[in-house]
Amino acid sequence: MTDGTTEAADLRRLPIAEAIRRLAEHGEPADPRPDIDTAALRRRFPHLAGVETSDVRIDGPYGRPVPARLYRDAAAATTGRALVWVHGGAFIGGYLDMPEANWVSLEIASRGTPVLSVDYVKCLGETHFPEPTDEVRAAFAHAVAHAAELFGIDPGAVLLGGASAGGNLTAGAVAQLQDAGEPVPAGLVLVYPVVHPNAPEASSSVDLASPHGQLSLNFAGSQEALADPHAFAALGRVDGFPRTLVVVCEKDALRPSGEAFARQLAEAGVDVQLRVEPGADHGHINEPADPTASPTVEAIAEWIGA
């Protein structure tokens, strides 16, 4: 039997198709880190002690609930805004207890912005786009419809955001709303987002033999869907997007996608801020001990409250 460390390392070394098969059959291995549970995070970061959490039931568009968790700190000075937050995981992994979901939500909530952290169906087996995007959109709609009871704010003050694959899904949900003529979020937060089929080159041209190309195709479900602007928001119009914060990492091979999208938003007249996190690499906010992680979270909180 292998422990969680070995299992996780094995998955990263496997060919993409085999990793997907193992995840579909056995689920995600337990995170072996002993210091990422909520109690450990509160010991390390005492300012998180006042954040209360509760599970929220959201009826999804495919007959299954969308898992979600609410974070609120009643003692924090309120910003008058709330954030619906979506973790990453290459569209095949991730969950509400990972630091990119849990720690980030605790931190943002402790600074006066309630957070609804949202999970989504993974692209394993026969599941592909648009299912995870539709679930994120449904979660955002639920947050808006219940803004007063969930967050104590006006429905028009709910923002949407995500990291990596979660950044893709949130940008895709905004593209859906824009093209449907429906209200978009009060703001959008994208942290090391993947918004092009070929993120390393910020391009629509995909090498399907590459690991990234295989992950993009696995998400999209078909080569035709790789060109869908709701699957990869950078392929479509963005003039209806809300004010947006884009955070990219200095050392991240996927950095070009976020930078190009920030330029695209600016050229369309969107109020956009691009932040390059010095010394950081992809996934850094999933590592609370990483010295580059807290500055990013602080920047997100400040931008929301500005």
Side-chain angles (χ1 to χ4, degrees):
M1 180 177 290
T2 58
D3 63 15
T5 306
T6 304
E7 291 178 17
D10 285 346
L11 281 172
R12 288 192 292 269
R13 287 194 294 264
L14 288 174
I16 298 299
E18 177 63 13
I20 291 171
R21 185 190 68 78
R22 286 205 189 180
L23 286 166
E25 291 182 359
H26 305 293
E28 193 159 356
D31 194 315
R33 291 176 287 178
D35 57 352
I36 61 165
D37 61 282
T38 299
L41 291 170
R42 284 178 170 151
R43 287 193 296 270
R44 184 188 302 174
F45 306 105
H47 61 275
L48 304 180
V51 180
E52 297 182 353
T53 66
S54 59
D55 292 336
V56 176
R57 179 180 175 85
I58 299 174
D59 294 324
Y62 294 94
R64 57 181 174 251
V66 178
R69 185 179 298 159
L70 177 64
Y71 295 73
R72 292 187 68 170
D73 188 337
T78 179
T79 63
R81 299 179 176 89
L83 175 67
V84 177
W85 177 249
V86 185
H87 65 77
F91 307 106
I92 60 176
Y95 49 98
L96 291 179
D97 287 325
M98 67 188 290
E100 195 174 78
N102 185 46
W103 176 62
V104 171
S105 298
L106 287 165
E107 290 283 357
I108 299 298
S110 75
R111 292 164 169 83
T113 298
V115 178
L116 184 67
S117 180
V118 175
D119 202 358
Y120 49 89
V121 67
K122 306 307 183 298
C123 294
L124 302 171
E126 299 302 313
T127 301
H128 307 284
F129 169 83
E131 291 191 35
T133 309
D134 289 345
E135 289 193 344
V136 168
R137 182 177 172 183
F140 174 72
H142 180 93
V144 170
H146 300 275
E149 63 188 87
L150 289 172
F151 313 121
I153 65 166
D154 184 84
V158 181
L159 293 81
L160 181 61
S164 194
N168 169 290
L169 299 176
T170 53
V174 172
Q176 289 180 331
L177 292 168
Q178 169 194 249
D179 293 345
E182 298 179 16
V184 298
L188 179 63
V189 178
L190 302 176
V191 181
Y192 38 78
V194 179
V195 287
H196 297 80
N198 182 343
E201 297 181 7
S203 168
S204 61
S205 177
V206 188
D207 176 7
L208 296 179
S210 70
H212 185 83
Q214 292 172 45
L215 285 170
S216 291
L217 180 61
N218 178 66
F219 164 61
S222 69
Q223 292 192 44
E224 291 75 20
L226 286 169
D228 191 323
H230 294 169
F232 296 95
L235 304 183
R237 54 178 282 259
V238 297
D239 54 291
F241 271 53
R243 63 186 282 261
T244 300
L245 171 67
V246 180
V247 180
V248 298
C249 299
E250 180 185 12
K251 299 179 179 180
D252 185 6
L254 306 184
R255 172 180 170 181
S257 184
E259 290 183 319
F261 195 57
R263 291 193 298 270
Q264 183 179 352
L265 290 166
E267 290 167 0
V270 175
D271 178 2
V272 59
Q273 178 179 329
L274 174 66
R275 176 184 175 89
V276 180
E277 199 62 69
D281 204 345
H282 194 86
H284 73 298
I285 60 172
N286 197 42
E287 299 283 351
D290 188 321
T292 66
S294 287
T296 293
V297 174
E298 181 65 32
I300 294 170
E302 290 181 358
W303 182 85
I304 290 173

